[in-house]
Amino acid sequence: MIQTVVELDLKGYNDVARELEDHLSANIVLCLNDQIQGFVDAGLQEVGITREEAVMATTGDGAILTFLQAQTAHAFAAAVHSHCGTHNQQKTVTAAQRWFRIGIATGDLSTRAVAE
């Protein structure tokens, strides 16, 4: 089946996570991961698709998603960047800003269920 895969990850995640962990605790990194997924959720809401429909995996610093239409994947990516722009306008410390790298590819997709 032809689908469009989107992979996104937070630029500088390792540095931010390490600094948060060193200053506070490993638990605060979970809040960073939740914030990242909040950007994913905002993008999905913008294109009217649920997390269950699109998210194949979360990666701590991002996610891997699939879309039936390339245009929807592009709109999702633009929405994530737009939400980051709004977030970044309110931040005076560079490390508090969020920038995502997003890659998109369309083609035949084969998947395999993971044995539990």
Side-chain angles (χ1 to χ4, degrees), residues 9 17 51 54 58 62-63 65 67 70 80 83 92 100 106 110-111:
D9 72 317
R51 176 172 275 276
T58 59
L65 305 95
F67 297 90
V80 169
H83 285 278
T92 57
F100 285 93
T106 300
S110 297
T111 60

Side-chain angles (χ1 to χ4, degrees), residues 1-12:
M1 167 184 272
I2 293 181
Q3 292 189 3
T4 298
V5 176
V6 175
E7 184 170 359
L8 68 117
D9 72 317
L10 182 67
K11 180 181 178 288

